Amino acid sequence: VTLAQARWVQFSSDTRSQAAGTKPASACWTREFFLPMTTRERPNILVTGTPGVGKTTFCESLTQIPELSIRHIEVSQMVREKKLYKEWDDEMDCSIFDEDMVGDELEPLLENGGFLVDFHSAGFVDASWFDLVVVLRADTNVLWGRLERRHYGENKIRQNVEAEIFQTCLDEVREAFEGSPVPVWELIHDDQEQLESAIGRITEFIRGFPGQDGLM
């Protein structure tokens, strides 16, 4: 049983009938989400955002809180180590990950919950894998400095900063989770104070998750 399930339903002026299986062609159909009981004892949280906003620092900070019993999956590292890609972008000097390969690797890991999934892309994920999405944001000057310290080339830095300006990751999440009951939180991470505030919010969310039974 997953946290979020969906069905396609047809609406008329006074009746509603349930569809089976796939999305119908008619424009009068819409997708309806509902929430059965989840079997996950701990939540899965997707942490996404432009490279350099501090996803890994954020996730590692949360894993250092023993009572949360939550683990960190850095998807970029998984892609490299397991070779979950079929192409290489010479201009950006990075792999172009294979969505199906990454999805097949992630899905069984997330079944029982308790993971922070850290990745810059959310367009390929299934909403039912997650109980919360965190989109980290950063001021563009802060972001530029962080990417320079990673020794990114100027063109690569500029493209990432532009992606942050145009909130590419946030829009991708909104599209991927449209109609889903999974909450999406936009959190700023420019400095240590903001990091600690964000960690506090996530800690409260995990403690209050239904399977945690009042974790203290």
Side-chain angles (χ1 to χ4, degrees), residues 25-45:
S26 171
C28 63
W29 294 77
T30 187
R31 201 176 191 189
E32 179 182 82
F33 285 83
F34 57 99
L35 287 170
M37 291 296 292
T38 176
T39 59
R40 290 199 282 261
E41 293 185 359
R42 296 187 305 280
N44 288 322
I45 301 172

Side-chain angles (χ1 to χ4, degrees), residues 50-51 88-89 91-95 144 147 150-162:
T50 307
W88 186 267
D89 187 329
E91 182 180 358
M92 295 293 285
D93 190 28
C94 64
S95 61
W144 189 287
L147 296 178
R150 292 186 183 185
H151 305 291
Y152 279 23
E154 184 173 341
N155 185 52
K156 190 172 181 178
I157 293 175
R158 184 176 294 108
Q159 289 192 40
N160 280 300
V161 169
E162 288 176 354

Side-chain angles (χ1 to χ4, degrees), residues 60-126:
E60 287 298 315
S61 298
L62 284 163
T63 63
Q64 297 304 308
I65 305 174
E67 68 200 60
L68 300 183
S69 299
I70 199 154
R71 290 169 287 177
H72 175 206
I73 299 175
E74 187 178 355
V75 177
S76 293
Q77 181 178 345
M78 176 187 288
V79 168
R80 290 193 302 271
E81 292 178 351
K82 295 183 178 290
K83 295 182 170 31
L84 305 178
Y85 58 88
K86 295 179 180 177
E87 298 180 65
W88 186 267
D89 187 329
D90 291 325
E91 182 180 358
M92 295 293 285
D93 190 28
C94 64
S95 61
I96 301 174
F97 74 98
D98 184 285
E99 294 184 354
D100 292 334
M101 294 171 70
V102 175
D104 289 345
E105 193 74 28
L106 281 176
E107 186 171 12
L109 292 175
L110 301 178
E111 184 175 349
N112 294 321
F115 284 98
L116 299 164
V117 177
D118 156 10
F119 200 36
H120 63 269
S121 179
F124 70 99
V125 304
D126 189 318

Side-chain angles (χ1 to χ4, degrees), residues 4-11 16-24 29-34:
Q5 296 182 7
R7 61 182 177 181
W8 289 97
V9 292
Q10 183 180 36
F11 289 91
R16 183 177 71 179
S17 58
Q18 181 175 339
T22 59
K23 178 181 179 181
W29 294 77
T30 187
R31 201 176 191 189
E32 179 182 82
F33 285 83
F34 57 99

